[in-house]
Amino acid sequence: MLYLQGDLVALGIKPVGTSSVFEGAAFAEELGGIEDLGSWYEPNPEAIMAVKPDLIIAASEETYEILKDIAPTVPIPYEKMATDERVMKIGEVFGKEQEAQALLDNFHEKLEKSKQQLDELGILDKTVTIIEGGKKEMAVIDSKLYGRGSQIIYEYLGLKAPEILQKKIDGREKATGGFVSLEVLPEYIGDFVFRSVWDGADDLSDNPIWNSIPAIKEGRLIEIGFDFSYYSDIYSLDKQLDFVVEKLVSAYEKK
């Protein structure tokens, strides 16, 4: 399995090998001890042949072309398939259509309950910004498909970004983000801000511009782990939904 490993984990399938998994991925523990086959976009054909797979799931058409002669290979181009379509396709491949449908039904039921909870608190009417970066400039996420919680926040929960970002998000069909200087960052920050962080990320606690932003001053900054929020499989999305809703409610109740 190359990328989207969490789709298999959610369906109760453990692959013999997988592309590299970040330590903080939601499903990392479930895949402990299996063979590392290289990055999902640059797989190691020799490593894949060594595990003698009966089936290969390729996350892009490019990797499919590289691997199709090793074993029967199914392309699941994650950038071209919506979550429900992809999960159902994987369920079909493994004869787990009913399990896949139940998985999606449970996710969407949880999603509706989460939206109702946020709506009752008035949070659905607030704006949310997702950022990643350091002291001189910040990556500002302007897509629903970038990871870092963007799919849960902007697509599934339907929360909006500040207008300067929302116009871009509405027109994006690919994973994108742009960099802005710290001096203009306040213009991009909404009522809540999620900051993607990793070990060694810059400490901004003494930065006057950072501390002047209302969301930062008033405790509506939420740090989300880079590893945890990188993936967009159904297992990760389910865990990200729990995290995002819990943190939004907690930050709201601090007021």
Side-chain angles (χ1 to χ4, degrees):
M1 181 66 180
L2 301 174
Y3 197 54
L4 301 171
Q5 303 95 323
D7 288 340
L8 293 192
V9 171
L11 289 168
I13 302 165
K14 188 170 184 176
V16 296
T18 177
S19 53
S20 304
V21 174
F22 290 137
E23 289 183 5
F27 51 80
E29 186 175 340
E30 284 77 1
L31 293 182
I34 69 172
E35 290 296 320
D36 186 325
L37 305 177
S39 68
W40 67 268
Y41 50 89
E42 290 183 347
N44 183 332
E46 291 76 19
I48 294 172
M49 285 188 284
V51 299
K52 300 178 180 179
D54 296 316
L55 179 71
I56 300 170
I57 302 292
S60 71
E61 292 168 354
E62 291 77 13
T63 52
Y64 170 79
E65 291 298 327
I66 295 170
L67 305 173
K68 65 181 181 180
D69 295 329
I70 296 175
T73 304
V74 178
I76 306 288
Y78 84 99
E79 288 188 322
K80 297 182 179 180
M81 300 178 77
T83 302
D84 286 34
E85 178 188 6
R86 187 188 69 242
V87 171
M88 289 305 299
K89 176 64 176 178
I90 293 174
E92 178 186 332
V93 169
F94 289 95
K96 289 180 171 282
E97 294 94 334
Q98 290 185 341
E99 292 91 336
Q101 188 61 62
L103 184 66
L104 292 170
D105 288 345
N106 290 338
F107 175 74
H108 287 289
E109 181 180 354
K110 179 192 284 188
L111 177 63
E112 289 308 309
K113 290 180 179 178
S114 298
K115 290 171 71 174
Q116 182 178 354
Q117 180 185 9
L118 297 181
D119 189 37
E120 289 173 354
L121 292 172
I123 296 175
L124 287 187
D125 296 327
K126 305 299 182 182
T127 55
V128 179
T129 302
I130 306 171
I131 59 175
E132 177 180 18
K135 294 180 179 177
K136 294 184 178 180
E137 61 180 10
M138 280 280 182
V140 180
I141 310 310
D142 55 16
S143 165
K144 299 177 182 179
L145 303 172
Y146 198 81
R148 321 304 190 268
S150 62
Q151 193 167 5
I152 289 297
I153 291 167
Y154 295 137
E155 179 179 353
Y156 285 115
L157 290 175
L159 286 154
K160 301 294 185 183
E163 186 176 1
I164 192 171
L165 287 173
Q166 191 62 43
K167 290 179 180 178
K168 295 180 180 180
I169 291 170
D170 290 339
R172 302 284 199 221
E173 295 183 359
K174 294 185 177 181
T176 62
F179 284 91
V180 300
S181 67
L182 211 61
E183 285 74 17
V184 301
L185 181 65
E187 301 173 24
Y188 291 80
I189 300 298
D191 299 307
F192 296 87
V193 54
F194 283 80
R195 185 188 180 203
S196 174
V197 293
W198 56 88
D199 287 343
D202 287 327
D203 179 4
L204 298 173
S205 58
D206 293 329
N207 187 289
I209 297 175
W210 177 252
N211 289 323
S212 72
I213 298 171
I216 308 304
K217 290 193 297 183
E218 297 166 15
R220 285 177 271 110
L221 167 67
I222 299 163
E223 294 191 338
I224 185 168
F226 175 87
D227 292 4
F228 174 72
S229 61
Y230 177 82
Y231 297 92
S232 56
D233 56 84
I234 189 64
Y235 189 96
S236 296
L237 290 175
D238 184 78
K239 299 300 183 184
Q240 290 167 22
L241 175 61
D242 291 339
F243 178 90
V244 166
V245 171
E246 177 188 346
K247 295 299 183 180
L248 284 172
V249 171
S250 178
Y252 175 82
E253 290 177 345
K254 286 181 180 178
K255 294 193 311 179

